[in-house]
Amino acid sequence: MTTEAPRTVREGTPVARIPGSKSLTNRALLLAAAAPGTSRLRAPLVSDDTVAFRTALTALGARLGTDGPDDCWEVTGIGRGPAGPARVWCADAGTAGRFLPPFAATGHGTFVFDGSEQLRARPHGGLVDALTRLGARVRAADGGGLPLRLEAAGLDGGEITVDASTSSQHVSGLLMAAPLTRHGLTLDAPALVSRPYVDMTLALMRRFGARADESAGRLTIRPGRYRPTDLTIEPDASTASYFFAAAAVTGGGVTVPGLGTGSLQGDLRFVDVLAEAGARVTVTAGTTTVTGGDGLRGGFDVDMGDISDTFMTLAAIAPLADAPVTIHGIGHARLKESDRIDAVAANLRACGVRVEDGPDRITVHPGRPAPARITCRRDHRIAMSFSVLALGSGVPLQLDDPGCVSKTFPGFHAELHRLFPAYAIPEHSEEEHR
Ligand SMILES: O=C(O)C1=C[C@@H](OP(=O)(O)O)[C@@H](O)[C@H](O)C1
Ligand SMILES: C=C(OP(=O)(O)O)C(=O)O
């Protein structure tokens, strides 16, 4: 990312209207629900994942309202762990499935967490195992995931090593619950994936008054109360990746205000990857701008393990580069809404593009895609990534489920079309995708 003297950027670059960060919205909702008193979240994301999270918190006893329009949410928190009994529906949201059980474990009573088939298939074992070792009575489904039944009686806390090799969300969930334990928590996660999300968790916990220290790779969270807080949510950097990529492949430009050098989101580093592919990138304190260069440059191998939600954005446009692109370090992306390495590879092959894939990597070769039907596998990021390929190649690609973008950005197709009129809004894109 360019943080020194900005390179020349075309004046008047169009501004993309990127909705709030899912990860910041759902963390802020949880922390506000755990705090005593009323917090206000400005510019939150309104999408399937955050609405599910709000509804789940209501089931746990928090009071949620809007202060006027949808762009400010008021949360009146419980001030401690929740009281059961409660049944909590997590829908498709990994953040709900991994953040809410540890919070409930600090409360009292019986809780049942469940979610869609897609969420049930995702890993929860590291979390269930950690909660059990902390003394919680948790019963998971066969296979270790949802539905999950918890008999809560508060948590003492202590020292714990967490298996976060499949998801950092196990760690984030435990950390956010930690101040509500009786003695605090010291946590170690040697095989942690997606580390920037843990940094985001710690930053937001501190904003809500928690005391967290890191020493020799171990995180120590002291017991204490959260403080109600007013917070403006940054635009979602993962969502912005599609618009930055669209600028790179069309030779146009996009500016996102509110995403800059102080961003809490690791996924903003996607612009570094675009810079490597020849795009011009400027990041200031308050904005990020990407403009397309002279075509997309390939011939590089990049580790996207820390920013794996954006690897599909790059892989989907990689056929338009002038040489092969290899992405590695992304094995955990096989465990998300879909097996994302397989989904990207299969859809690119359906477009006639040459691809090689391995357990944690993918190589995409240059080639003009042929018209094809894209199988989204109910994965918003597959839909959004291939929309950018359709725009950049000018080749019609028909998404089988354009509405699945509502997990994180219900207005995605309309916004891409507004900024890049050559992009045709798919039919039925506003329809419920379930
Ligand atoms: O904590 C979070 O908000 C997230 C963490 C990441 O998941 P993993 O830690 O499972 O890789 C990311 O893919 C997800 O979209 C959001
Ligand atoms: C993996 C994702 O979501 P989550 O884990 O929060 O369900 C995502 O949004 O790409």
Side-chain angles (χ1 to χ4, degrees):
M1 176 184 326
T2 307
T3 47
E4 64 275 11
R7 284 173 247 170
T8 311
V9 169
R10 217 178 47 204
E11 288 302 314
T13 314
V15 170
R17 296 182 200 137
I18 304 297
S21 155
K22 167 199 73 176
S23 295
L24 289 171
T25 301
N26 283 356
R27 280 169 176 74
L29 280 172
L30 177 60
L31 297 169
T38 299
S39 299
R40 277 171 204 84
L41 314 186
R42 298 187 200 286
L45 172 64
V46 184
S47 77
D48 292 355
D49 265 19
T50 62
V51 170
F53 207 94
R54 275 177 65 108
T55 309
L57 284 175
T58 307
L60 291 174
R63 280 191 291 129
L64 282 112
T66 51
D67 177 13
D70 244 9
D71 62 0
C72 180
W73 286 355
E74 273 192 357
V75 184
T76 304
I78 308 165
R80 56 179 177 277
R87 298 187 74 84
V88 183
W89 180 248
C90 301
D92 290 335
T95 47
R98 278 77 172 258
F99 296 173
L100 297 174
F103 175 47
T106 65
H108 289 85
T110 304
F111 300 89
V112 177
F113 296 90
D114 202 359
S116 65
E117 285 302 318
Q118 187 184 70
L119 188 62
R120 282 184 174 195
R122 295 178 62 186
H124 289 79
L127 178 64
V128 170
D129 181 53
L131 284 173
T132 306
R133 279 182 292 123
L134 285 171
R137 290 170 58 202
V138 201
R139 206 177 65 227
D142 292 346
L146 303 183
L148 198 148
R149 188 185 171 86
L150 173 70
E151 311 282 347
L155 287 179
D156 284 339
E159 291 193 17
I160 188 145
T161 299
V162 182
D163 177 3
S165 58
T166 57
S167 174
S168 68
Q169 291 175 346
H170 302 157
V171 170
S172 288
L174 291 161
L175 288 175
M176 287 189 281
L180 307 180
T181 61
R182 286 182 273 267
H183 307 300
L185 195 66
T186 295
L187 184 152
D188 175 34
L192 175 66
V193 294
S194 303
R195 166 79 211 207
Y197 285 98
V198 171
D199 295 331
M200 176 194 288
T201 302
L202 293 168
L204 228 55
M205 285 172 61
R206 290 185 179 117
R207 290 284 286 275
F208 280 79
R211 288 171 305 162
D213 301 304
E214 181 164 6
S215 159
R218 283 151 60 94
L219 297 164
T220 298
I221 313 296
R222 278 178 269 167
R225 294 198 124 194
Y226 282 117
R227 185 176 60 214
T229 299
D230 288 358
L231 195 76
T232 300
I233 305 293
E234 298 174 13
D236 192 296
S238 327
T239 301
S241 75
Y242 309 108
F243 295 85
F244 292 143
V249 294
T250 58
V254 159
T255 290
V256 179
L259 267 186
T261 45
S263 173
L264 298 175
Q265 300 172 77
D267 275 11
L268 185 55
R269 291 188 215 154
F270 177 71
V271 298
D272 291 346
V273 183
L274 282 182
E276 177 140 18
R280 281 171 292 160
V281 173
T282 305
V283 184
T284 68
T287 65
T288 298
T289 300
V290 173
T291 52
D294 309 318
L296 211 60
R297 204 164 56 210
F300 60 88
D301 184 338
V302 57
D303 182 344
M304 294 184 78
D306 274 356
I307 56 169
S308 76
D309 281 1
T310 62
F311 101 77
M312 296 87 75
T313 321
L314 176 66
I317 60 170
L320 308 178
D322 60 3
V325 171
T326 296
I327 304 166
H328 69 272
I330 49 169
H332 54 295
R334 291 190 180 275
L335 304 168
K336 309 263 177 169
E337 286 82 334
S338 67
D339 173 340
R340 288 176 163 170
I341 297 180
D342 189 64
V344 168
N347 279 308
L348 285 173
R349 286 182 187 123
C351 299
V353 172
R354 196 176 137 214
V355 176
E356 285 121 31
D357 63 308
D360 80 336
R361 62 179 49 243
I362 186 166
T363 297
V364 181
H365 293 265
R368 182 174 159 74
R373 184 172 164 81
I374 302 302
T375 306
C376 298
R377 305 190 187 180
R378 288 187 68 242
D379 188 335
H380 52 141
R381 300 204 187 283
I382 298 298
M384 295 193 273
S385 299
F386 280 83
S387 298
V388 181
L389 176 59
L391 168 68
S393 62
V395 171
L397 299 177
Q398 194 197 355
L399 304 179
D400 69 344
D401 184 10
C404 71
V405 297
S406 62
K407 187 172 194 272
T408 46
F409 189 3
F412 170 79
H413 300 291
E415 182 62 3
L416 193 60
H417 172 72
R418 187 183 72 78
L419 290 163
F420 300 92
Y423 177 70
I425 299 180
E427 280 176 35
H428 314 301
S429 56
E430 301 297 326
E431 276 176 17
E432 188 59 40
H433 65 280
R434 282 166 189 76

